[in-house]
Amino acid sequence: DADVTQTPRNRITKTGKRIMLECSQTKGHDRMYWYRQDPGLGLRLIYYSFDVKDINKGEISDGYSVSRQAQAKFSLSLESAIPNQTALYFCATSVTGNTEAFFGQGTRLTVV
Amino acid sequence: GQNIDQPTEMTATEGAIVQINCTYQTSGFNGLFWYQQHAGEAPTFLSYNVLDGLEEKGRFSSFLSRSKGYSYLLLKELQMKDSASYLCAVRDYRNAGNMLTFGGGTRLMVKP
């Protein structure tokens, strides 16, 4: 079983729809992150959280929101999806800021 | 801000050695990571350098020169399964929480 699990793995949605991507982890890590990946642009940070009461914007937070429901759960929402949010989304966790991040398997989102 | 540059694509032959370079500009360098990512899959951690020099892990080695803002990942005895993207990521202590910034990745194709 994966330590960092994302659901759904694939999703096609229409412009203007609200969609939530979920992430859960069994690693016991406090830090959780949401990234999006576009071809040639690498991974870009959307939001991150250091614990349940802590939420921070990343490089590209516009159009997204997050919720840290528990230490193990961190969800990403697109309130009104638009086509340029079509991308591969990754959730990740880490113990501290100086250790490696562990990634989920990714969610491929297509907005039509 | 940070600029991280790595070649977009490289091709090498099975059994050979390949070196993937990464250059960066950051005012608060606090470590460099290399990740491997197979197409459509999650990035997985390969190596971490924070001090100058070479870190060796089996067939993979990573080198860092902080004064030159330069790192490379060296892959020896290439195997077909090494065909993947290789992501260079830099940690900057001036970013809140020591956040990682990723380069665009280098897609390596290993040919028979």
Side-chain angles (χ1 to χ4, degrees), chain A:
Chain A
D1 289 340
D3 293 321
V4 185
T5 303
Q6 293 182 231
T7 56
R9 293 293 312 276
N10 289 282
R11 180 72 181 266
I12 300 174
T13 192
K14 293 184 178 180
T15 298
K17 293 291 187 182
R18 183 180 188 275
I19 182 169
M20 179 182 288
L21 310 183
E22 300 191 4
C23 176
S24 62
Q25 53 117 344
T26 58
K27 300 191 75 66
H29 292 169
D30 284 329
R31 298 185 175 214
M32 298 188 73
Y33 314 83
W34 275 104
Y35 289 90
R36 69 176 275 175
Q37 187 173 38
D38 300 276
L41 293 180
L43 288 157
R44 292 182 293 165
L45 184 64
I46 306 172
Y47 270 96
Y48 61 100
S49 168
F50 290 167
D51 63 40
V52 175
K53 298 178 182 179
D54 178 78
I55 300 290
N56 303 281
K57 292 182 177 180
E59 179 186 354
I60 52 163
S61 59
D62 288 348
Y64 302 94
S65 62
V66 291
S67 173
R68 184 81 183 267
Q69 301 96 323
Q71 188 211 33
K73 295 185 182 294
F74 192 35
S75 59
L76 176 72
S77 293
L78 287 68
E79 297 301 324
S80 180
I82 56 177
N84 77 0
Q85 291 177 312
T86 293
L88 188 55
Y89 290 84
F90 286 102
C91 173
T93 74
S94 68
V95 175
T96 69
N98 292 326
T99 56
E100 73 268 28
F102 295 86
F103 288 83
Q105 292 300 99
T107 296
R108 185 168 296 281
L109 176 66
T110 303
V111 184
V112 298

